[in-house]
Amino acid sequence: MPYKLLFVCLGNICRSPSAENIMNHLLEQKGLTDQIICDSAGTSSYHIGSSPDSRMSKSALKRGVKMIGKARQFEKTDFEEFDLILAMDRHNYRDILSLDREGKYQDKVELMCNYATKHLDRDVPDPYYGGVDGFDYVIDLLFDACENLLESIINK
Ligand code: 4NP
């Protein structure tokens, strides 16, 4: 059975699709696409069905990552479906756990930045209302976190 990862942000058009596509990029490089499966979702319904934000896709492409996917909203069934759920920021983390009324799945939900080693951020900053630098920074931070997350799963 493959190990299943779900990346979650607010809109599912900037940060979480970046994390998903960066992780898939690393999995392809390492020949691990059969063993680890990635998906992403948003806590909000704002952008359901939308492609990744074009500004985010441009920043990702500079680092060799082609962004694919369509936004969907996080749903309660995701708690059972996935082995690990990575929240991009502390708001997302709280919103996800608020759907777990019985507290059954708390151990499956973690902050993405817990895996970053070259960055001190606790949250992946929301780039939506800022400039190009913010999008580039998200990609840099997510490469860092994804690389270490992948190591930690491999070494489990
Ligand atoms: P994301 O970015 O959560 O990283 O996908 C955002 C996308 C849309 C909005 C906010 C953040 N919005 O307010 O529409």
Side-chain angles (χ1 to χ4, degrees), residues 26-153:
L26 298 175
L27 291 170
E28 273 163 30
Q29 283 183 340
K30 292 183 191 288
L32 293 171
T33 49
D34 292 343
Q35 285 158 61
I36 301 173
I37 288 177
C38 303
D39 192 9
S40 64
T43 56
S44 78
S45 60
Y46 305 157
H47 297 278
I48 291 174
S50 297
S51 297
D53 187 298
S54 60
R55 300 165 295 172
M56 197 75 255
S57 300
K58 268 190 193 150
S59 291
L61 205 52
K62 289 187 216 166
R63 298 284 303 269
V65 177
K66 189 169 183 296
M67 291 271 275
I68 56 169
K70 288 270 183 286
R72 72 167 178 94
Q73 189 167 19
F74 180 84
E75 49 197 1
K76 278 187 193 173
T77 52
D78 290 321
F79 285 123
E80 276 295 330
E81 183 68 23
F82 291 89
D83 297 296
L84 188 59
I85 298 168
L86 284 312
M88 295 300 118
D89 67 29
R90 284 167 283 182
H91 262 117
N92 310 144
Y93 181 83
R94 276 195 296 275
D95 289 342
I96 295 164
L97 285 186
S98 73
L99 297 172
D100 174 26
R101 299 240 175 252
E102 292 173 32
K104 268 171 71 179
Y105 303 105
Q106 291 189 25
D107 292 348
K108 280 193 178 183
V109 187
E110 292 187 42
L111 277 171
M112 188 65 178
C113 283
N114 288 350
Y115 290 93
T117 58
K118 297 181 194 136
H119 300 77
L120 296 173
D121 306 65
R122 294 196 60 204
D123 297 315
V124 181
D126 181 348
Y128 194 68
Y129 292 106
V132 176
D133 288 356
F135 288 89
D136 289 346
Y137 187 76
V138 165
I139 297 296
D140 202 49
L141 172 54
L142 287 175
F143 257 99
D144 178 13
C146 281
E147 280 162 2
N148 296 299
L149 170 59
L150 182 51
E151 280 304 308
S152 101
I153 296 168

